[in-house]
Amino acid sequence: MTTRRDHPLKGVLQALSDDLKQAGELLGMPAEDRLKDWIETVGAHLLPRLSGDLPLVAAICGGGSSGKSTLFNALVGKAVSTVGGRAGLNRRVLLCSHPTLFQREGLLSLLFQPFDCLPGPLTDPAELTTPGCPLYVPSEQVSADLLLMDTPDFDTGARGVYTNRQASRQALETADVLIYIFTNSNYNNRDNTDFLAGELTHIGTKKCFLVYRVYPNFKPEEIREHATTVARNLYGKEAANQVIGVYRADESNAVASGEAPMLLSPLEPGAPSLADALQRLDPRKLQPELMASMLADTLGRAAAFSERMACSRQALALYRDALRTAQSHSVQQALRHFPTDRVLKRFAEIWLQTDPPHIKLMRKTGAAIELPYRGVIKIVKLLGKGRAGASPSAKARVRQQLEEDLLTAVHELYRQAVGPWIEVTAAVQDAAAKRMTAIVETLAAVPENELALIGGKARMTPTDQPGLAAFKVPAHPALAAEQEHLKNLEWSTTLQTLLSRKELTQFISRDVETSLKELAEEFRGQMGLRDKLHQTAAAFLNVLPATAAITYILSTGDPVGAAGIKVKLTGFFGLHDLYALIAIPATSGMKSADRRLLEIMLVPIARAWLSDKAAAVQKIFEENLTGALIGRAAQILDDSRETLAAVDDHLQQCRKAAPPQWQQTG
Ligand SMILES: Nc1nc2c(ncn2[C@@H]2O[C@H](COP(=O)(O)OP(=O)(O)OP(=O)(O)O)[C@@H](O)[C@H]2O)c(=O)[nH]1
Ligand SMILES: [Mg+2]
């Protein structure tokens, strides 16, 4: 919700946060802790700071029994917070400010958004010793520009489980400045300073005061030395700029017995008292500095997320391409043993039957074969001798072989589709393979610890076969749900369904007729009247089954020098060109000129037929296996393109909307 006093940055920052959240969800990184943390921090701590004038929030923090509540009471001028010898006494946050602050409508709910409940007035101090919502108490002694917090300790507990850390963390994240109180027994406790250092620099860098509760006989040099250790442990090299005052609080029996308030004195002579220093901290001065460092941090991290997300998008495109390439391989696998001989023979029959009447007449009179292709008759006779019909058992064998090929191909594709990796070879010359190679190179820059976001490290390595490269591409986290769905399918049932599907049966046998008829018509159309080739076609086709005996191989390289007729098939994703090699027995006694003629006839038929079948197999694969993955990937790629463009746009707008005093220099 925006109000009149909201800074213009608030709207764009909110939009940036929404975009990043959406992009994270699209790209399968909702569980990414750093993104979640960023979104929460922006919502809880940065956006509220863009809503008009806020008081300066100063939180007193430290280990159990270090004297936090005693210090709080001294600063607010009355014994309101519970004090005691048992470490971990305070379980809740206690707030104090001028009474007018608590009358400002909506202020507390804005500041305490990260807590699940709104602060209520303190009625019974005993409530502070039970966990619950923050409580507040007004005091005339504190200005309305300052909100002081007494916080639960962050070190009571055992074996790494700290009772009050969560409550303490929430309070510290809400604060603009911290007052860290420590004693001689815990000043060098790294566990404490490490925790605090994390909070101080969680988003931007917060400044702090140090209060050392010491024995009166401690010399200033000793105090300075210990305070320096603490400061260094908190901020490293930046310590001198970030610690804005060091105070000593001498141990006193009067304080212990509650007869006197804690007395603080600045370590540096002439420095203001802590109360004065706090009152003098102008929120309008301190906050721009904090805002500048918070914004720099926030926008820097957002830019890093956007970069990572762009990588994730690329990784998804890579996965989709690899899957489609694997699918092409499986199509190739499924078409390995297609019965070219039967196809060609039947085509010849159809061709003859569908000849126009005048051609039929010409054929009877012998006119047709007077035309340019002499020698055809001779070949027909020659080859006709070897012709063999397909027996019923041969037909059954062919069918079985086809089924086997198809099942092997489906199995292989399923394994790739549900696996953590796709491993596939692709022709380096192919456009898809070039794109995949480029993506693999870009993604090589993703650091080890970020690889989980894109599923793992993608690789491309050359193979023994020239022109072929091997790709190993991790499954993308954004497709986890679709992969899981595929995994959960009962595989044997899926196969059953697949095998019983109408189009599959048709693929294997029945629609042969229709396709061939269509093919014959198409050829006639293409040849035109001037082309007399078709008149001799029938003669050829009649004997082709014996000639092209019938084996063909599908390979992804050009079978240079191989004996037989090469049929180049294009349009297989990731495979560049596929070659079907149709073998012609050397014994056929064909002259090279006749062979060329045969090739002219045979190549288009084989190409059209195989392309048609390849499309049919691919359709079966997509409908049953890969479609959900490929479709979802395409959709995410589309949606995330827009979302990431919006992220970058809003990032720029945020940078522009930040006033100069919020721009970090150096
Ligand atoms: N002798 C002496 N005792 C002090 C002084 N300041 C605090 N104490 C005692 O130290 C004990 C702990 O003080 P608290 O102010 O409750 O400490 P705290 O950090 O709020 O403790 P928790 O709320 O339990 O985390 C109490 O018994 C105080 O009376 C001091 O300056 N001198
Ligand atoms: Mg306390």
Side-chain angles (χ1 to χ4, degrees):
M1 195 181 73
T2 46
T3 70
R4 236 175 340 111
R5 291 167 63 211
D6 285 345
H7 193 279
L9 180 58
K10 190 176 180 186
V12 255
L13 189 59
Q14 179 68 63
L16 174 65
S17 172
D18 293 346
D19 292 339
L20 277 175
K21 184 165 185 252
Q22 196 192 342
E25 276 163 10
L26 276 171
L27 293 166
M29 47 174 96
E32 225 279 270
D33 285 343
R34 284 164 301 180
L35 179 60
K36 227 166 83 185
D37 180 71
W38 185 96
I39 292 168
E40 273 170 23
T41 309
V42 166
H45 303 296
L46 199 48
L47 292 174
R49 284 185 162 84
L50 296 167
S51 308
D53 294 336
L54 294 180
L56 188 86
V57 182
I60 300 172
C61 61
S65 270
S66 54
K68 298 180 292 294
S69 303
T70 310
L71 171 59
F72 180 86
N73 289 343
L75 288 171
V76 308
K78 46 187 175 181
V80 279
S81 190
T82 42
V83 166
R86 176 166 60 85
L89 187 65
N90 288 66
R91 307 292 309 271
R92 309 194 197 200
V93 172
L94 178 63
L95 313 166
C96 182
S97 183
H98 195 269
T100 52
L101 180 136
F102 298 107
Q103 286 151 17
R104 276 171 61 182
E105 214 187 305
L107 182 75
L108 290 182
S109 62
L110 189 71
L111 280 171
F112 289 85
Q113 204 177 300
F115 293 75
D116 287 332
C117 42
L118 264 183
L122 174 76
T123 47
D124 175 7
E127 282 181 293
L128 290 168
T129 62
T130 57
C133 297
L135 297 167
Y136 68 84
V137 57
S139 163
E140 301 278 348
Q141 196 171 312
V142 184
S143 96
D145 283 336
L146 179 68
L147 183 66
L148 260 183
M149 275 196 211
D150 181 17
T151 67
D153 76 282
F154 46 70
D155 68 353
T156 50
R159 287 188 289 274
V161 180
Y162 300 104
T163 326
N164 297 320
R165 259 202 189 176
Q166 187 50 21
S168 163
R169 176 174 283 132
Q170 281 180 324
L172 303 189
E173 284 178 2
T174 306
D176 300 308
V177 65
L178 303 191
I179 304 164
Y180 178 40
I181 179 165
F182 50 90
T183 63
N184 184 248
S185 60
N186 70 6
Y187 82 91
N188 210 1
N189 179 326
R190 280 311 293 260
D191 199 41
N192 281 7
T193 44
D194 283 353
F195 166 76
L196 202 53
E199 292 309 313
L200 285 165
T201 55
H202 179 62
I203 164 177
T205 305
K206 290 174 184 173
K207 295 183 187 286
C208 83
F209 292 100
L210 300 181
V211 176
Y212 195 2
R213 194 179 127 196
V214 284
Y215 296 107
N217 61 349
F218 266 49
K219 296 194 181 69
E221 305 82 73
E222 284 174 288
I223 295 175
R224 190 169 292 113
E225 191 191 316
H226 293 179
T228 306
T229 304
V230 172
R232 213 181 312 111
N233 288 346
L234 292 179
Y235 297 106
K237 284 194 217 118
E238 280 297 295
N241 293 331
Q242 305 298 343
V243 173
I244 45 179
V246 181
Y247 296 83
R248 67 182 290 167
D250 289 359
E251 294 280 351
S252 123
N253 290 338
V255 173
S257 61
E259 288 159 26
M262 182 184 266
L263 208 64
L264 299 158
S265 49
L267 187 65
E268 300 310 326
S273 71
L274 179 60
D276 282 349
L278 277 170
Q279 298 292 2
R280 280 188 213 172
L281 269 186
D282 184 349
R284 279 161 296 272
K285 279 200 191 123
L286 187 69
Q287 279 175 342
E289 230 179 295
L290 181 60
M291 278 306 290
S293 86
M294 280 178 131
L295 261 183
D297 228 10
T298 303
L299 300 184
R301 283 186 216 185
F305 285 131
S306 151
E307 221 172 279
R308 247 170 262 149
M309 285 168 172
C311 282
S312 172
R313 252 194 106 242
Q314 287 206 301
L316 182 60
L318 176 68
Y319 178 80
R320 180 203 51 185
D321 286 0
L323 182 61
R324 291 180 68 193
T325 306
Q327 177 166 283
S328 292
H329 278 286
S330 284
V331 169
Q332 178 195 348
Q333 165 83 24
L335 292 177
R336 272 202 328 189
H337 297 98
F338 220 83
T340 347
D341 55 342
R342 283 171 58 209
V343 172
L344 294 173
K345 178 173 169 274
R346 186 65 195 124
F347 185 80
E349 282 165 18
I350 291 171
W351 187 269
L352 287 176
Q353 282 162 17
T354 55
D355 262 345
H358 71 280
I359 298 287
K360 283 189 178 144
L361 188 72
M362 277 159 74
R363 200 185 310 117
K364 270 189 198 139
T365 61
I369 42 179
E370 293 300 319
L371 288 156
Y373 305 101
R374 301 187 185 283
V376 166
I377 292 287
K378 197 179 81 204
I379 303 165
V380 169
K381 280 182 184 156
L382 195 68
L383 296 177
K385 289 177 200 155
R387 189 180 159 195
S391 67
S393 69
K395 276 185 194 166
R397 270 208 309 281
V398 167
R399 196 194 152 92
Q400 198 188 349
Q401 179 68 60
L402 283 175
E403 248 181 49
E404 259 176 49
D405 286 350
L406 191 72
L407 285 189
T408 314
V410 171
H411 257 298
E412 173 57 13
L413 190 57
Y414 178 79
R415 193 185 64 77
Q416 299 261 36
V418 299
W421 299 91
I422 287 184
E423 288 183 78
V424 80
T425 58
V428 284
Q429 276 312 308
D430 180 74
K434 280 185 186 157
R435 193 169 64 209
M436 291 202 289
T437 308
I439 298 180
V440 170
E441 278 163 14
T442 316
L443 294 181
V446 175
E448 242 1 84
N449 61 336
E450 309 277 319
L451 282 176
L453 295 179
I454 56 171
K457 195 172 193 65
R459 289 174 210 282
M460 193 282 288
T461 41
T463 66
D464 296 343
Q465 280 171 278
L468 274 192
F471 289 86
K472 186 172 178 190
V473 174
H476 196 280
L479 299 176
E482 283 73 19
Q483 266 198 321
E484 205 48 38
H485 178 73
L486 267 185
K487 269 186 215 162
N488 290 337
L489 288 180
E490 188 64 57
W491 181 232
S492 55
T493 339
T494 317
L495 270 189
Q496 284 281 300
T497 337
L498 221 156
L499 279 177
S500 62
R501 286 177 64 118
K502 206 168 106 242
E503 65 265 44
L504 188 66
T505 326
Q506 285 181 347
F507 159 71
I508 291 174
S509 61
R510 261 177 248 152
D511 77 338
V512 168
E513 280 295 298
T514 339
S515 307
L516 287 178
K517 277 181 188 145
E518 278 166 15
L519 210 58
E521 260 169 47
E522 210 178 296
F523 275 9
R524 263 188 223 290
Q526 279 169 10
M527 285 171 170
L529 274 177
R530 281 181 301 123
D531 193 341
K532 302 297 180 191
L533 180 62
H534 67 284
Q535 296 162 7
T536 54
F540 258 123
L541 290 169
N542 235 354
V543 296
L544 273 180
T547 322
I550 322 349
T551 47
Y552 69 85
I553 53 161
L554 280 177
S555 78
T556 46
D558 183 351
V560 194
I565 293 174
K566 282 187 293 180
V567 182
K568 190 163 119 179
L569 302 163
T570 50
F572 283 81
F573 191 92
L575 299 193
H576 203 42
D577 297 329
L578 262 188
Y579 285 90
L581 185 70
I582 301 180
I584 300 175
T587 53
S588 64
M590 243 194 271
K591 281 188 202 135
S592 65
D594 300 330
R595 222 183 144 93
R596 268 202 304 281
L597 186 56
L598 188 65
E599 201 167 325
I600 294 172
M601 292 303 307
L602 189 70
V603 167
I605 300 171
R607 182 184 297 133
W609 177 259
L610 283 170
S611 302
D612 186 49
K613 290 298 116 182
V617 179
Q618 182 165 321
K619 189 162 164 259
I620 292 171
F621 288 165
E622 278 178 359
E623 280 172 6
N624 294 281
L625 263 182
T626 52
L629 285 170
I630 293 173
R632 179 76 188 128
Q635 199 197 330
I636 296 174
L637 285 169
D638 262 6
D639 295 353
S640 61
R641 183 190 302 111
E642 283 168 30
T643 315
L644 287 188
V647 165
D648 290 343
D649 193 37
H650 285 134
L651 244 173
Q652 291 220 334
Q653 287 186 38
C654 280
R655 293 209 162 98
K656 276 194 206 135
Q661 69 269 26
W662 290 355
Q663 313 266 359
Q664 227 177 24
T665 47

